[in-house]
Structures are given as C-alpha cells and as structure tokens.
Amino acid sequence: MKKFLFILSGLIPIILSFFGMGTVLVWYSFFVFLSFFKKRLIPVMGRVPIPAFLFFFLFVWGLGLATEAVFWSDIYLLGIGESEDIDGRNHNLWVHLSMYWGFYGSIALAWTCALRWFRFTLPQVFVTQGIAGFTVEQNFAVLLAAFADPRGVIWFPYLAAVYSPLVVIPFMLLQERIDQRSRRDHWIKYPLILFLQIIIMSLLTI
C-alpha cells in the first residue's frame, strides 16, 4: 500500500502539469522514479571520479539551477503564470540564472557542511529541506504570509515538492559515498540547516 501511494504521489505533479500548474513540480516525480532504480544508480555514482562532497555540492547546485530554468520556461515558453513573476531584465535565461547561482549555491553549501558534521536519513533530508525552502521562499514572504493567515500553510507541500528533491536526489544517489555512519546525531542539525542557508544566502546574494 505504501509503495502504491508513493507511486501515486509521483504521478500527481505530472497530472497537474496538464492542467496549467507548470512543470517545476515534476522534479518530485523524478525523485520517485529514481528511487526505484537507486540500487543500480548508486554504484554508477560511486565510479564518478570526483570527491564525494564536491560531487554532492555540484549535484545540488546544478539541480537548483535546472529547477530555475524550468520555472523560467514555464513562463516564457509555455505561457504558464504571469510574465511579471520574473523581472523584466531576466527575459534572457542566462541572465535569469546568473541571479540565482548564490541562492542555490547556499542550499548546496549548507547541506554539504551539515552532512560532514551530522547524520541524516532520507526522510529527514526531505522534510528539513522542505521546511527550509518554505521559510526562505521569496525572502520569507511566504512564511510571513502564513503567520498572518494560517491558510498559507497550504503552500508547504507545494514548496517541499519543489525544494526537497534538489537535496534528496543527490543524497539518495550518493549516500554510500557520503558515509553517514560515523557522523553524530543531534537535534541541532535541523535548525542548523536553516541557519546556514540564511547566513550563506545573505553573503552570496548581496
């Protein structure tokens, strides 16, 4: 039953994309798809001649920028959403991406540091990054709106489906190279992730 529900959850973003909801949520579907092939993919990732944590950092960063590119294409190529969602200066994809390298780089760097210090499980990574993404989205505007109107929490599943796969996919495929067994476990790891992302983001996006 759990497997069926997991597969169904992966199909929902694909179905929604046919109803004008955009394609950015399909990253979650990609995560669900890859999870069924991880036993074959993990050994392949283990043969990539790049240090594990550097590979993880580049993987997360690359997925982040790819997500932003999908968001851009939803608006300018597919006509989904309003063009005002992106500043007029960013109609060029490369210019748009150049403005987000620090944002996604901060997510990648924060997790790279945290995984060197603490032990995480796959569900912990998913939920923690979902909360972090919800918090920092639009410079905390979504979080503040949720405080003003609790109904704003309905955005959490959406943003978790956007932000969590950026970290969960690399973590899942590189978990054997990022040996977590020797890392300690402590509750401080959860607020640490959020703190690191906010601090690094403030430095890289000035």
Side-chain angles (χ1 to χ4, degrees):
M1 186 62 177
K2 289 183 179 180
K3 185 176 181 180
F4 171 76
L5 292 175
F6 185 53
I7 294 174
L8 181 61
S9 72
L11 292 175
I12 291 175
I14 298 176
I15 296 172
L16 291 176
S17 68
F18 289 101
F19 291 91
M21 294 296 291
T23 58
V24 72
L25 291 178
V26 175
W27 285 115
Y28 176 77
S29 302
F30 189 47
F31 157 64
V32 173
F33 174 78
L34 290 178
S35 67
F36 290 100
F37 298 93
K38 64 181 180 180
K39 290 184 178 180
R40 295 183 180 181
L41 293 172
I42 288 174
V44 175
M45 293 295 180
R47 292 194 291 269
V48 177
I50 302 176
F53 283 101
L54 176 60
F55 190 11
F56 175 82
F57 172 84
L58 294 174
F59 203 162
V60 175
W61 194 21
L63 283 180
L65 292 175
T67 298
E68 201 61 40
V70 170
F71 171 68
W72 182 93
S73 68
D74 278 348
I75 294 175
Y76 289 113
L77 300 184
L78 301 181
I80 298 173
E82 299 294 333
S83 60
E84 291 78 7
D85 289 341
I86 298 180
D87 187 277
R89 296 172 299 171
N90 307 327
H91 286 253
N92 181 294
L93 173 61
W94 302 112
V95 174
H96 177 69
L97 292 181
S98 70
M99 299 185 69
Y100 285 89
W101 72 269
F103 178 82
Y104 292 105
S106 66
I107 295 175
L109 185 56
W111 275 102
T112 300
C113 293
L115 290 175
R116 293 186 69 94
W117 301 331
F118 296 101
R119 183 169 64 253
F120 284 85
T121 64
L122 195 67
Q124 288 173 348
V125 172
F126 189 95
V127 174
T128 304
Q129 182 51 39
I131 294 173
F134 180 81
T135 302
V136 302
E137 175 69 6
Q138 296 182 16
N139 293 320
F140 308 100
V142 175
L143 178 65
L144 294 175
F147 278 121
D149 184 353
R151 289 176 297 179
V153 175
I154 63 173
W155 283 103
F156 175 73
Y158 176 89
L159 292 172
V162 172
Y163 285 106
S164 294
L166 309 184
V167 182
V168 170
I169 291 174
F171 180 83
M172 178 177 66
L173 299 181
L174 297 173
Q175 56 187 328
E176 288 191 358
R177 295 186 63 181
I178 303 174
D179 185 7
Q180 289 277 285
R181 290 171 297 180
S182 60
R183 310 288 190 250
R184 60 175 178 164
D185 193 18
H186 195 282
W187 63 266
I188 196 67
K189 66 186 181 183
Y190 302 114
L192 177 66
I193 282 293
L194 181 58
F195 175 76
L196 285 176
Q197 288 190 31
I198 292 173
I199 294 300
I200 299 172
M201 204 173 291
S202 66
L203 296 175
L204 296 182
T205 58
I206 295 176

